[in-house]
């Protein structure tokens, strides 16, 4: 009988890598927990900021405590860590806030799972327990949610509280009342459509954050052409993306041979005539304002000025798209059929000054909900972070207008869910109960981390919270300004139900997915073949 070789059989290509069972699981846990520890210190109203520097020469510096921004900026190689980064991005796109909470909760769940697996409990048993715990926590959150959408005054107060709570963990925390009112006004103008495209944010250096304001028109950060009207009423706008610089011969590498300078003048005249025809075709639309995505050269600008038409050049693409949406027009490139072109309309166009810059303001636009938030600040980093913070608040408010239920923040909802899960665990026979206990423990870690970040005694505060919730005081949470437990309903610490539910579901699904892994196979890297045919 042929002897069997005891050497391990490698079925993969040379260079491919495989991690099995315990090793694979350990590497997943380590990666995910490391990501959780990275953003953990930014959680809560007393969270710290991170400085992110890009590796390029003269790299940009970003100062932020937004979980999604931090995780987007760091390049991770660990597959489990990538799952958490993607989950944080989804949370940011879906509801706008809770990006740090969702990452920390998933990491804490995996930290608990690591201990359970060390006790030889099978991953599928843990997952089964977690699923029941998630469902119980979700039902508890649903029961605790309140809906004030029928009472407009209370609902507005809810929106303000949600905006304040969202902003309290960001850079704008010292001016949260000012920005909460600004964000609520902007979202209420949308009249429930939730289309955040209509809210335009302009950042201008100078002044302080409190100088930021909401302008009820649409601002375009461009200048009006020379010798053209600076103020127009009842405006018909043609928004275009076309070349208005054809008063030069633009054939690549072209040569024109002439035998006299008079011929050059003739060519120039022909070019000018062509341009004049194009301008005449544009003017046939009966417009008094022409906005172009590309450059407008001096000659066409002069023709527009003679016709009394305001011409604005080089309006960046996002600006043109948004302007078309707001004024009810369409972006056109050809001008042969004026009857088919949809023009934009607005009541007034005028120049205005912010800081040292002139901007163009469109008032009375067709889309009445459009508005512009003008942010002022001392440095570019502050402005960028203020924009991210405000964007989070606007996203959460837009979601809350669609799904008006709210829950209490400050660790209150987490403790409420943890209590329900613990009660369920005490009634469940078998090993699943241990998994449920671990789920409740992970939920209780969120208020612990929030208290730790502020330098308070987290063990004492969380014990007090737990005791209060056992006595069915369901509105008790952490009062972070005084380092005590307090009534969240009185303090106005309100969060959107949608955000909390998304945090719970995303974190448990991601943790479950990573826990199921028992093998990591890395493909062999592609060999670099020397290029014998350089172009």
């Amino acid at each position: 009988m042929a002897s069997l070789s005891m050497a391990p059989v490698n079925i993969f290509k040379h260079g491919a890598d495989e991690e099995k069972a315990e090793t694979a699981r350990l590497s997943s846990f380590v990666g995910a927990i490391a990501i959780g520890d990275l953003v953990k210190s930014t959680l809560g109203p007393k969270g710290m900021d991170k400085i992110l520097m890009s590796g390029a020469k003269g790299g940009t510096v970003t100062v932020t405590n937004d979980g999604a921004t931090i995780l987007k900026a760091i390049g991770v190689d660990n597959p489990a860590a990538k799952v958490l980064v993607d989950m944080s991005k989804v949370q940011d796109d879906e509801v706008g806030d809770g990006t740090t909470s969702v990452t920390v909760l998933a990491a804490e769940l995996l930290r608990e799972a690591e201990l359970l697996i060390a006790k030889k409990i099978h991953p599928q048993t843990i997952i089964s327990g977690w699923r029941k715990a998630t469902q119980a926590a979700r039902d508890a959150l649903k029961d605790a949610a309140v809906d004030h959408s029928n009472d407009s005054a209370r609902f507005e107060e809810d929106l303000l509280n949600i905006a304040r709570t969202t902003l309290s963990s960001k850079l704008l925390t010292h001016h949260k009342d000012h920005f909460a009112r600004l964000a609520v006004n902007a979202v209420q103008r949308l009249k429930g459509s939730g289309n955040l495209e209509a809210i335009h944010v302009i950042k201008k250096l100078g002044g302080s954050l409190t100088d930021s304001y909401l302008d009820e028109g649409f601002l375009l950060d461009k200048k009006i052409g020379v010798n053209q009207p600076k103020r127009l009423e009842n405006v018909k706008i043609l928004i275009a993306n076309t070349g208005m610089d054809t008063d030069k011969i633009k054939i690549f590498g072209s040569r024109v041979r002439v035998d006299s300078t008079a011929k050059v003048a003739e060519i120039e005249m022909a070019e000018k005539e062509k341009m004049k025809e194009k301008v005449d075709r544009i003017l046939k639309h009966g417009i008094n304002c022409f906005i172009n995505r590309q450059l407008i050269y001096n000659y066409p600008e002069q023709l527009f000025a003679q016709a009394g038409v305001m011409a604005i050049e080089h309006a960046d693409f996002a600006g043109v798209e948004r302007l078309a949406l707001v004024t009810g027009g369409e972006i056109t490139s050809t001008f042969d059929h004026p009857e088919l072109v949809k023009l934009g309309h607005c009541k007034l166009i005028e120049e205005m000054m912010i800081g040292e810059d002139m901007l163009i303001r469109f008032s009375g636009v067709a889309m009445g909900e459009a508005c512009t938030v003008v942010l002022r600040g001392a440095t570019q980093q502050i402005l960028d972070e203020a924009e991210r913070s405000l964007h989070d608040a606007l996203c959460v408010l837009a979601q809350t207008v669609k799904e008006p239920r709210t829950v209490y923040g400050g660790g209150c909802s987490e403790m409420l869910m943890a209590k329900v899960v613990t009660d369920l665990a005490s009634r469940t026979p078998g090993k699943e109960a241990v998994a449920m206990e671990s789920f409740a423990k992970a939920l209780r870690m969120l208020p612990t981390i929030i208290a730790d970040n502020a330098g308070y005694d987290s063990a004492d505060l969380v014990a007090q919270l737990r005791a209060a919730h056992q006595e069915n005081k369901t509105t008790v949470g952490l009062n972070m300004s005084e380092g005590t437990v307090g009534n969240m309903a009185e303090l106005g610490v309100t969060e959107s139900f949608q955000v909390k539910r998304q945090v719970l579901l995303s974190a448990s699904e991601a943790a479950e997915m990573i826990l199921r892994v028992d093998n990591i196979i890395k493909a062999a890297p592609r060999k670099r073949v020397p290029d014998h045919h350089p172009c």
Side-chain angles (χ1 to χ4, degrees):
M1 198 174 97
S3 64
L4 290 170
S5 163
M6 296 306 288
V9 179
N10 187 13
I11 57 169
F12 298 114
K13 270 187 179 176
H14 177 68
D17 187 21
E18 181 187 24
E19 290 178 10
K20 286 186 178 171
E22 286 303 308
T23 325
R25 201 165 282 137
L26 192 66
S27 105
S28 296
F29 287 162
V30 167
I33 291 168
I35 287 284
D37 287 345
L38 175 74
V39 293
K40 189 156 79 172
S41 61
T42 67
L43 189 68
K46 299 284 172 88
M48 308 302 269
D49 288 8
K50 308 259 182 239
I51 289 184
L52 309 169
M53 293 176 71
S54 68
K57 196 180 175 190
T60 55
V61 173
T62 311
V63 183
T64 183
N65 72 352
D66 179 48
T69 311
I70 295 168
L71 294 180
K72 261 184 225 162
I74 56 171
V76 289
D77 197 27
N78 185 294
K82 277 189 179 145
V83 170
L84 291 200
V85 172
D86 289 346
M87 173 189 68
S88 161
K89 276 186 198 158
V90 167
Q91 179 79 12
D92 196 31
D93 298 340
E94 197 67 24
V95 283
D97 195 25
T99 49
T100 311
S101 309
V102 75
T103 312
V104 170
L105 181 56
E108 290 302 331
L109 282 168
L110 290 169
R111 202 188 297 269
E112 293 298 325
E114 194 177 9
L115 300 173
L116 294 180
I117 284 178
K119 292 178 186 169
K120 299 285 183 277
I121 295 177
H122 195 276
Q124 291 296 353
T125 313
I126 300 171
I127 287 167
S128 166
W130 277 3
R131 285 211 168 155
K132 289 178 184 170
T134 308
Q135 192 54 49
R138 189 180 177 178
D139 294 341
L141 196 63
K142 214 181 215 170
D143 296 339
V146 284
D147 183 352
H148 289 150
S149 53
N150 302 328
D151 181 348
S152 60
R154 284 189 72 181
F155 187 54
E156 188 174 335
E157 191 54 43
D158 272 354
L159 288 178
L160 280 168
N161 282 339
I162 286 172
R164 282 192 205 109
T165 307
T166 302
L167 293 172
S168 67
S169 62
K170 309 269 190 282
L171 172 86
L172 302 175
T173 176
H174 300 299
H175 315 293
K176 63 183 175 193
D177 290 335
H178 176 73
F179 282 98
R181 169 52 62 196
L182 193 143
V184 170
N185 287 350
V187 168
Q188 281 181 330
R189 284 180 68 88
L190 298 179
K191 301 183 182 67
S193 71
N195 181 8
L196 291 178
E197 279 292 306
I199 301 174
H200 183 37
V201 179
I202 284 185
K203 299 177 287 189
K204 284 285 166 204
L205 276 171
S208 70
L209 281 170
T210 41
D211 297 337
S212 307
Y213 65 94
L214 182 74
D215 195 293
E216 300 201 340
F218 181 87
L219 298 181
L220 192 65
D221 195 358
K222 293 290 160 208
K223 293 185 176 62
I224 294 172
V226 185
N227 290 336
Q228 289 169 359
K230 302 288 186 206
R231 179 187 162 95
L232 285 178
E233 291 185 10
N234 296 329
V235 195
K236 288 181 181 167
I237 308 167
L238 178 64
I239 301 165
N241 185 7
T242 181
M244 299 297 287
D245 50 357
T246 43
D247 52 352
K248 282 192 171 71
I249 294 173
K250 279 172 75 176
I251 304 165
F252 184 60
S254 63
R255 276 184 178 177
V256 180
R257 283 196 176 164
V258 288
D259 46 19
S260 72
T261 47
K263 293 275 170 63
V264 178
E266 276 176 35
I267 293 170
E268 278 188 0
M269 278 307 295
E271 281 288 338
K272 274 194 167 180
E273 206 50 49
K274 207 166 142 196
M275 192 74 242
K276 193 170 188 319
E277 274 176 33
K278 187 169 188 179
V279 172
D280 288 342
R281 286 209 307 275
I282 290 170
L283 292 174
K284 273 185 190 151
H285 290 70
I287 55 166
N288 47 6
C289 177
F290 177 69
I291 298 173
N292 194 19
R293 159 90 179 83
Q294 300 175 34
L295 279 170
I296 302 177
Y297 268 25
N298 299 359
Y299 180 61
E301 190 173 73
Q302 181 188 329
L303 294 175
F304 282 125
Q306 284 166 4
V309 170
M310 180 190 288
I312 301 165
E313 64 173 4
H314 235 241
D316 52 5
F317 203 72
V320 168
E321 290 254 315
R322 197 176 260 132
L323 196 61
L325 169 86
V326 163
T327 56
E330 281 177 357
I331 301 174
T332 42
S333 299
T334 56
F335 311 102
D336 298 323
H337 302 286
E339 69 282 356
L340 300 178
V341 173
K342 197 173 170 191
L343 297 177
H345 296 274
C346 84
K347 291 204 176 86
L348 174 69
I349 297 183
E350 59 190 342
E351 276 193 321
M352 66 177 294
M353 200 160 189
I354 298 178
E356 295 176 358
D357 299 334
M358 295 297 276
L359 288 91
I360 306 166
R361 181 180 180 199
F362 297 76
S363 312
V365 288
M367 190 177 182
E369 46 259 42
C371 57
T372 305
V373 177
V374 180
L375 289 177
R376 307 297 309 278
T379 68
Q380 195 58 45
Q381 284 83 4
I382 289 178
L383 282 178
D384 291 344
E385 179 64 358
E387 185 189 22
R388 279 190 290 272
S389 309
L390 194 65
H391 176 259
D392 282 4
L394 289 171
C395 284
V396 174
L397 290 174
Q399 287 290 340
T400 311
V401 170
K402 288 183 195 164
E403 162 57 274
R405 285 179 288 180
T406 59
V407 292
Y408 292 114
C412 171
S413 303
E414 284 83 1
M415 293 306 283
L416 187 89
M417 293 190 280
K419 174 184 178 285
V420 172
V421 172
T422 310
D423 291 349
L424 179 67
S426 57
R427 296 194 303 273
T428 306
K431 284 184 178 176
E432 283 179 5
V434 187
M436 290 178 193
E437 281 286 354
S438 72
F439 195 92
K441 198 170 167 193
L443 281 170
R444 275 195 288 270
M445 280 307 291
L446 284 172
T448 309
I449 292 164
I450 292 173
D452 277 341
N453 286 346
Y456 298 135
D457 183 351
S458 59
D460 179 39
L461 286 174
V462 173
Q464 287 182 42
L465 264 185
R466 193 172 176 175
H469 278 269
Q470 282 298 342
E471 292 167 16
N472 286 330
K473 293 179 185 168
T474 51
T475 58
V476 175
L478 294 173
N479 176 353
M480 292 309 287
S481 49
E482 292 173 19
T484 58
V485 295
N487 188 341
M488 296 293 108
E490 288 166 13
L491 292 169
V493 181
T494 313
E495 291 195 49
S496 167
F497 167 72
Q498 181 89 343
V499 172
K500 275 276 176 267
R501 184 182 63 188
Q502 194 67 30
V503 165
L504 175 74
L505 298 181
S506 297
S508 60
E509 280 173 12
E512 185 181 311
M513 185 174 160
I514 293 168
L515 188 55
R516 282 172 179 272
V517 173
D518 75 335
N519 222 339
I520 298 174
I521 301 163
K522 290 180 184 165
R526 259 175 54 198
K527 283 197 175 75
R528 286 184 176 272
V529 182
D531 188 2
H532 298 302
H533 306 284
C535 55

